[in-house]
Amino acid sequence: MGDGPAPQLATLVARDGLPLRTAVWAATPGSARGSVVLLQGRAEFIEKYGETVDDLRARGFAVYALDWRGQGHSGRVLKDTRKGHVVSYDDYLSDLALFLERVVLPEAPRPIVVLAHSMGGHIVLRHRAEHDGRAAPYFAVGIVLSAPMVDIMMTPAERALGAVLTVAAVSVGLRNRYVPVWSPFPPPFDGNPLTRDRGRYERMEALLRETPTLAIGWPTVGWLAATRRSVAILRSRGYPERIGTPVLMVSAAADRVVSNTAQARLAARMPDCRLETISESRHEPLMERDDVRARILALFDEFVDEVLGSDA
């Protein structure tokens, strides 16, 4: 997990009995500045973020992370452990609330900042909006979003067809089947939509070869249906307007996974959201080439300095 010390690993038991793996890294001694809650995207796992954890600890932060249900070394929802599945995003929200209640809030050095990628960004935006509206205090003083999954990248035709097929498949009991994608997951490096950095991509592949139980495949029809419902909630009238916590939203200009247009529209509706776009970045800026990683980390530093104040 990077070059720093091993994390303190633990297991939470979700409210429905599913085990959730968590990890905590203490701040580098003598440099404590606060904490970062690191929330991963779909199909990711704690080990993938070892380099980013080292970057955050070098900045004086303790780091708190978890594997979402159905991925990494958290419990799987289906017997076929390769299937990326969730029944409802309410389950993700409940798991995040439990993680905060049992692990983060009792011990994390203050102040706390969130750094969330893709699906993790979607979940934390939902969590913030559900947290009693704009005026209520929030556990974090700021939220940084890396290529957040405001909506999945689709053409209008794909969106219409996907809606029809998803409803039809769920209605006849096929929610646990894979979405109809005929390609390996993760895809081979050449042409992949995630990163242009071969070394970091091969490191991720090596982690999965060394520990195959970390891996999942394509999502299920049920995951897609749950995502469509949650996307509709996030974009509904008056919903993003409730997110009063300062947000830095970072779009990846070459993203082929999530919609930059949807990100821009949502950012414009949020009371305190700054939108930045990184050119030449594919979907995972934190796994990209050094120049892209340097840019998103510089944006993170600037934002954190602002929300923590001049003493940060």
Side-chain angles (χ1 to χ4, degrees):
M1 294 192 192
D3 297 326
Q8 177 184 346
L9 296 172
T11 300
L12 281 176
V13 179
R15 292 183 170 89
D16 61 358
L18 207 69
L20 304 171
R21 183 175 66 149
T22 68
V24 178
W25 291 261
T28 302
S31 63
R33 189 182 181 195
S35 302
V36 172
V37 173
L38 181 60
L39 303 176
Q40 62 192 243
R42 194 201 83 83
E44 296 190 308
F45 46 93
I46 288 167
E47 288 83 351
K48 183 175 176 179
Y49 282 87
E51 183 179 16
T52 299
V53 169
D54 289 346
D55 292 328
L56 295 172
R57 295 187 71 249
R59 287 161 167 76
F61 293 105
V63 181
Y64 291 74
L66 85 158
D67 283 337
W68 296 117
R69 62 174 51 224
Q71 60 191 59
H73 275 167
S74 285
R76 298 296 199 263
V77 182
L78 301 178
K79 289 183 179 179
D80 185 342
T81 59
R82 290 284 301 184
K83 290 182 175 180
H85 185 74
V86 75
V87 175
S88 166
Y89 272 61
D90 288 346
D91 293 335
Y92 289 139
L93 291 169
S94 176
D95 293 346
L96 176 57
L98 184 69
F99 174 57
L100 297 175
E101 173 190 328
R102 300 285 179 82
V103 179
V104 177
L105 296 180
E107 64 179 59
R110 271 46 168 189
I112 301 171
V113 176
V114 174
L115 174 58
H117 175 64
S118 195
M119 187 182 79
H122 180 105
I123 295 167
V124 77
L125 288 176
R126 287 283 320 272
H127 182 269
R128 179 62 187 96
E130 296 286 343
H131 195 265
D132 298 326
R134 284 179 56 183
Y138 195 52
F139 81 93
V141 297
I143 300 170
V144 179
L145 305 175
S146 160
M149 191 189 72
V150 175
D151 201 353
I152 299 171
M153 174 77 76
M154 291 184 181
T155 66
E158 288 171 337
R159 189 174 305 281
L161 180 60
V164 171
L165 292 178
T166 301
V167 171
V170 169
S171 68
V172 296
L174 300 179
R175 68 169 55 247
N176 294 350
R177 299 287 185 91
Y178 281 116
V179 294
V181 178
W182 292 274
S183 61
F185 187 90
F189 174 76
D190 291 333
N192 85 85
L194 305 178
T195 176
R196 299 170 301 143
D197 191 285
R198 183 179 293 274
R200 290 186 172 96
Y201 198 80
E202 290 179 348
R203 183 174 62 197
M204 181 268 292
E205 292 179 313
L207 286 168
L208 295 177
R209 285 194 303 270
E210 292 165 7
T211 314
T213 51
L214 290 170
I216 64 171
W218 290 102
T220 62
V221 171
W223 182 91
L224 183 59
T227 299
R228 291 182 62 249
R229 290 193 298 271
S230 192
V231 163
I233 293 170
L234 180 61
R235 298 168 63 182
S236 62
R237 184 188 299 270
Y239 197 88
E241 289 79 3
R242 292 154 57 179
I243 301 171
T245 301
V247 174
L248 168 64
M249 185 182 295
V250 181
S251 294
D255 206 325
R256 307 197 317 264
V257 178
V258 300
S259 170
N260 288 341
T261 300
Q263 291 168 2
R265 289 173 177 166
L266 193 81
R269 295 173 58 190
M270 293 163 60
D272 190 358
C273 182
R274 169 184 166 193
L275 177 65
E276 297 282 351
T277 300
I278 300 182
S279 62
E280 300 185 359
S281 177
R282 296 182 187 175
H283 180 56
E284 297 185 350
L286 289 166
M287 307 297 162
E288 262 286 6
R289 294 180 181 175
D290 289 347
D291 58 329
V292 172
R293 290 194 83 253
R295 177 62 178 149
I296 189 170
L297 289 172
L299 289 170
F300 173 89
D301 290 338
E302 181 181 343
F303 176 77
V304 167
D305 285 346
E306 291 174 359
V307 297
L308 297 191
S310 59
D311 293 336

